[in-house]
Amino acid sequence: MRQWWHDDHGVRDTENSFLVVEARLHDLPRWKRDLLERCSTLVSNATRSLLALMGRQLTITKDVADDTKIASADLACTVDAERAARIMALLAQVKVREDTGEVLPFSNAYRFIGCEPIPGTSQFRAVARLACGEWKERKGKKGAVRLVHVLSKINVTTGLQQLLGTYVASSLLQSIPAALRSGVCQEVGQQVMSYIGQLNSSRVRGEVAFPTVEDRDPVRRRAAYEQAIDVLTRDLTPFAYARVRDMFPGKYAEGDPHGDRMIVNDERWFAVTTTPEPHPIPLFVVQGDAVRLVEGAASFPAGASKRNRHRGNRNDDPRVRASRPEQVRRKGNTDLRQWYAMVPVLDADDAQLRRIVAEKADTRGRGLDLQFRPLPISGAQSLRIRGRDMLVQLSGDRGRLARVLRNPNLRIAWSRIVRKGAEWVLQLTVRVPIVAAANDHNVLGVSFGVDAVATWVLVGADGVEVRTGAFAPNEQILAFLREKRQLEWDQAKGRWIGGKRFARQLEAIAHGVVNDLLVLAEEHRAVLALEDVSWVQKVGPNHQQNVLFTAWNFGQLRRIASYKSQLVGRGDPVAVSDYVVSYTCPHCGACRSAKQKPEQATTWRDGDALTCRACDWHGVLTSTDRARRVVVQGREFLQTRWQHIASDTQ
């Protein structure tokens, strides 16, 4: 589990959060890798063609009153008589708003506004309105009324996606697998609607370019990369070097010896290093149930090694059997459990892809006689093998994967298959239902810090403080400094340090801290209130405090706690702004307004010290003081949430 966010598409989904889970496609044979590469090329070609088509068929009309605003964005397409009849039926419908009875401008999700025959042909020209702008009155301060331009856009994930796949680009998508067609339409739709939004935005300066896939196309990137390599290998002239001080003027002090280092200053080398490595375009599967996850099980003799079991070899080696625990030797066999994904990519109308499939060796499971059954996350009760499915083995952190794949409350929302380096990875976006702990009114407030990674205060339902505590010291910072010193030591000794990473180690520490917090919350049936640290005070270049802030991954702690809290039934945690935490007086509760100047502010800070002009309190906020403020602010928000839940249940 790498990442978590609320996917709102403009409006936050208040019932679900979304969790991204990664699993490697393990031990892929050559034909499966070739097939994924070919699918990526087909998706790239279809994306490029569809974007080019929309660029030709899209008409942007500027607003008469303000030419920086959009009056309408219309997309034209050519359809046959059968589709034209469907569009005519949609145009004949009339929809009204339920609350006001007002006639809605569009009678269908595709936003068709016209369909006319093309003279001299049997084709029709249909027009869909992707966006329309209008001026609306908004009440301002002191009763003033101002005009605001509002741009109404088509829903990308439903209306526009289906419009492109059904009416605009159905012929362009025939060469790619059926499960990937909606993904191409959605990706293109999101890029085009982003382009329209930028044209209408007053914050975007300069010319807005229509989106293309030139920089993402693996074919073009491969050609540019190989050309740069070819130029470098043909020209045997030695590289040109320059002092780093001359290449980056103003970065190094006059007496700093680091500025006198000689580095390569040659365009041939820059062309190789700056050309992006040609990674394939991701395969985007919009339908959550298209990629199905299954679990297989098989039994082997106790003498079969782990390597042989995964290769389907049932040889019973006496030495392997003797190394087994007594319980396994007594049982006489071992069980193998493995997870697989059924990826629907074998049904494309492409000659090269069909040839790859036809020439493949029958390596299903490498001889394993596995009885597949669907995993709970797929939402299927039974399993039917489809002819379009390619079976791929999944690998990764088995503990984390098991907690997600076997959770009956989770469902796959959409998925992507991407290549990272030499490996292909399945990225599952999982829908996590937000279950509010309606009957649990205890609150665990958490403040994140440098000395103690997490300081907490537990308050009961009656608002009385029950316990306080802290997780100290900050293991993330200690591990970071320890690894940093080791790298600097190795570098000083001239040792190779390339490829040495310890981000996973720091991430594991963060998961451990969050797990301890959730155990505490579960023990006391409390809801989490977390400090949302968005800003820290930096102190000059290369200062030790800056190093500590770099090591202290406070954002990661909050993100992990956000999705894990929902997985264990603690609901959606409350985030409390660090501004409120830092500027609220612990004695009287006064807080500086965001618009107040320092000399007139209700509360103001001088370094770590806080001064309150409302009650003349002066002092340094401790970690516990900060956690108490998180609890107070969190409970105010939670009280409103609990009242809504109570009223809904009545």
Side-chain angles (χ1 to χ4, degrees), residues 298-315:
S299 181
F300 290 85
S305 66
K306 182 178 180 180
R307 179 182 180 86
N308 285 339
R309 281 185 294 162
H310 284 283
R311 295 184 176 275
N313 190 335
R314 299 177 179 275
N315 291 338

Side-chain angles (χ1 to χ4, degrees), residues 31-32 35-36 341-346 388-392:
W31 75 270
K32 292 184 179 180
L35 188 139
L36 293 176
M342 293 182 173
V343 185
V345 291
L346 302 182
R388 60 176 181 159
D389 288 334
M390 180 177 72
L391 190 69
V392 293

Side-chain angles (χ1 to χ4, degrees), residues 482-537:
R482 182 170 59 250
E483 296 295 334
K484 178 176 178 290
R485 285 194 298 268
Q486 183 61 50
L487 287 178
E488 291 173 345
W489 173 264
D490 291 340
Q491 190 176 31
K493 294 295 183 181
R495 298 169 182 166
W496 170 249
I497 62 171
K500 289 189 176 182
R501 302 288 185 272
F502 50 90
R504 291 288 183 88
Q505 181 181 347
L506 299 182
E507 183 182 3
I509 295 173
H511 277 280
V513 171
V514 172
N515 291 344
D516 291 341
L517 285 173
L518 290 175
V519 168
L520 190 63
E522 280 284 284
E523 178 185 350
H524 296 279
R525 302 191 63 81
V527 181
L528 285 178
L530 308 173
E531 181 182 9
D532 184 8
V533 182
S534 59
W535 182 85
V536 292
Q537 178 69 49

Side-chain angles (χ1 to χ4, degrees), residues 109-111 130 154-165:
Y110 304 120
R111 291 195 173 196
L130 303 187
I154 190 173
N155 190 304
V156 175
T157 58
T158 53
L160 183 53
Q161 178 199 124
Q162 296 171 14
L163 170 67
L164 297 180

Side-chain angles (χ1 to χ4, degrees), residues 543-557:
H543 194 277
Q544 179 66 14
Q545 182 170 319
N546 294 348
V547 176
L548 297 181
F549 286 147
T550 301
W552 173 36
N553 203 337
F554 44 83
Q556 184 186 58
L557 286 166

